[in-house]
Amino acid sequence: MKTKGFYVAITLFAVLTWSCSNQDNSSDKSLKSSMDQSAQQLSSALGQITTSPGYQVLAVTGTAAASSPSLVKASGGSIVVDSTINSIALADIMGVYNYKAVSFKKGGLSLLRYFTKTADNTQMIVRLPESKVKHFGGMLHYSPADTLLANDYVISVSKYDYKFNRFLGWDYSLASNINIKDVNAGDLKIQSSNNKTTGTNFSSEFAFANGYLAKCSYSNGDTAVSTYAITQGTKILFEEKYTAVKSAVTKRHREKSYSLTIGDVQIIRAQGKNSLDSAKVYVAGVLQTKSKVEIVNVSTGTVEDSTNVCVANHNREIKITFDDGTSSTISQLLGTSVDTIRTLFISLRQTYFATNVVNWIAWDIYTKKQ
């Protein structure tokens, strides 16, 4: 019996020793290996995103600054200051609109109407050639060859609400689906507002048909918050959040908290008793005590930069020193994924591919009713 008990004890000791050894080894390599694995997963996801029809939609950009969100501004009108809130709702613009240049006379002038309402619908459905979307400047320039183009790009708007006043600001929301050549590209949602009380608030998201979701948001009131995220279902592949609070003394925004999540790895910096605490890094929620994180702001040259200091916004870099003493920056760890992320969010902030077309038609309908 004693011999049997001895062997049981030895076996238990071996199991416990192996388990502890595994935990120690896992702890030693967890951050670096988890970072590499998370970076690879993100790279794979971005590869699937960039080859999707949805990304080809997002790739259509305008001429605004790369870091600027798409601001749906209050439209010009009378110079008289008043509190009248004008609005354009989905009910005002719903129907099927086909791109087809038709000439008409107005005041002795020969003009062209580019969109014709061809049917009623509970949504606003816009059909136009894909080439006109990719080169919006050419949409309002007629060419005889346009008659040969197929209206193979379809924007189906299920929500549209635009309230505005030239002096008081605006409140805008849009939800739509994009279909190209009978292939579902994805769903776009936009919310934008501006007033003297809350400042500018903007959020935009695009749900790709292959299951990935990219979304960003930005606000610049007394508390400024910017967020960028790429997810697949409940899994966070990339998420960056920056929060700044306006100082009562200097009236300038100062960073309050910052976080960057890439898969299982999360970097967090929060405000301590007197100033920002040093950044901490976690793997699956476990603090990595032997690793070091350094955060460097690349530039803070503009007001927007001071309220939107993120890797995704080109103006922040992060250096991680691992347990073994080696170090690497986020840009080095992510490689070309960093540039892809930045390009993706530039497009998502601007969303020219839908707002240019839909807003142009909506405004044309609204002005004709005035």
Side-chain angles (χ1 to χ4, degrees):
M1 293 296 292
K2 289 183 179 180
T3 303
K4 183 177 180 181
F6 174 76
Y7 282 118
V8 170
I10 289 294
T11 302
L12 287 174
F13 177 76
V15 169
L16 289 172
T17 303
W18 177 85
S19 176
C20 291
S21 175
N22 262 8
Q23 289 177 2
D24 290 342
N25 290 339
S26 175
S27 176
D28 288 341
K29 67 179 182 179
S30 61
L31 177 56
K32 179 175 282 189
S33 61
S34 293
M35 189 70 238
D36 288 341
Q37 183 179 6
S38 296
Q40 289 173 11
Q41 291 175 348
L42 177 59
S43 176
S44 176
L46 290 171
Q48 294 179 56
I49 287 174
T50 54
T51 56
S52 70
Y55 189 77
Q56 306 312 310
V57 169
L58 286 170
V60 179
T61 60
T63 57
S67 61
S68 300
S70 174
L71 304 181
V72 184
K73 299 180 179 179
S75 301
S78 171
I79 61 172
V80 178
V81 178
D82 63 49
S83 59
T84 302
I85 302 297
N86 302 289
S87 66
I88 306 174
L90 180 61
D92 300 317
I93 59 175
M94 60 187 185
V96 180
Y97 298 84
N98 283 318
Y99 185 85
K100 183 179 181 181
V102 177
S103 61
F104 67 100
K105 296 283 187 179
K106 183 177 181 179
L109 297 175
S110 293
L111 303 174
L112 285 172
R113 180 176 291 113
Y114 292 92
F115 285 91
T116 302
K117 185 176 180 179
T118 58
D120 293 327
N121 198 284
T122 56
Q123 296 188 358
M124 179 193 193
I125 299 177
V126 181
R127 304 177 185 276
L128 71 162
E130 182 181 5
S131 59
K132 293 293 183 180
V133 180
K134 291 184 174 180
H135 305 284
F136 183 76
M139 191 181 82
L140 304 182
H141 292 279
Y142 175 73
S143 168
D146 288 349
T147 58
L148 302 176
L149 297 176
N151 286 335
D152 52 6
Y153 191 106
V154 182
I155 305 171
S156 299
V157 181
S158 57
K159 180 181 180 180
Y160 191 92
D161 191 16
Y162 181 21
K163 297 180 177 67
F164 56 94
N165 176 281
R166 184 179 181 185
F167 301 96
L168 301 180
W170 70 85
D171 195 326
Y172 175 92
S173 61
L174 174 144
S176 63
N177 171 263
I178 314 294
N179 186 291
I180 306 173
K181 298 177 180 177
D182 295 323
V183 176
N184 178 29
D187 299 302
L188 167 73
K189 293 181 181 179
I190 301 173
Q191 179 71 48
S192 175
S193 66
N194 177 271
N195 61 63
K196 292 182 179 179
T197 303
T198 61
T200 298
N201 293 275
F202 174 83
S203 64
S204 177
E205 67 175 56
F206 193 86
F208 295 87
N210 57 12
Y212 293 102
L213 176 69
K215 57 183 179 180
C216 63
S217 62
Y218 171 77
S219 63
N220 68 349
D222 288 341
T223 298
V225 182
S226 58
T227 305
Y228 303 92
I230 301 170
T231 59
Q232 183 184 29
T234 59
K235 184 175 180 58
I236 297 175
L237 299 167
F238 177 93
E239 183 180 70
E240 189 173 24
K241 184 174 182 179
Y242 176 89
T243 303
V245 177
K246 185 179 291 184
S247 168
V249 178
T250 64
K251 303 299 181 182
R252 297 186 63 183
H253 285 88
R254 291 187 176 182
E255 181 176 335
K256 180 180 180 181
S257 63
Y258 171 80
S259 66
L260 172 66
T261 302
I262 302 173
D264 289 334
V265 179
Q266 185 175 44
I267 295 168
I268 298 176
R269 182 167 73 173
Q271 197 168 37
K273 185 176 180 179
N274 299 312
S275 61
L276 285 172
D277 290 335
S278 299
K280 298 177 176 62
V281 59
Y282 301 80
V283 174
V286 178
L287 176 64
Q288 304 299 292
T289 57
K290 298 179 182 180
S291 301
K292 180 182 178 183
V293 176
E294 299 171 72
I295 298 177
V296 179
N297 294 344
V298 179
S299 68
T300 53
T302 67
V303 173
E304 183 187 337
D305 279 345
S306 68
T307 59
N308 193 11
V309 187
C310 298
V311 171
N313 199 37
H314 301 259
N315 52 15
R316 171 156 284 185
E317 183 59 277
I318 298 174
K319 180 182 177 181
I320 302 176
T321 301
F322 299 101
D323 297 356
D324 60 6
T326 62
S327 61
S328 186
T329 65
I330 288 296
S331 294
Q332 291 170 336
L333 290 166
L334 297 186
T336 58
S337 293
V338 169
D339 294 327
T340 304
I341 289 169
R342 289 169 175 171
T343 301
L344 173 63
F345 286 119
I346 287 171
S347 302
L348 195 57
R349 285 195 296 262
Q350 297 179 343
T351 60
Y352 284 98
F353 59 93
T355 54
N356 266 354
V357 177
V358 173
N359 292 344
W360 187 85
I361 297 174
W363 184 248
D364 185 54
I365 294 171
Y366 173 79
T367 54
K368 286 177 180 177
K369 291 181 178 180
Q370 302 307 301

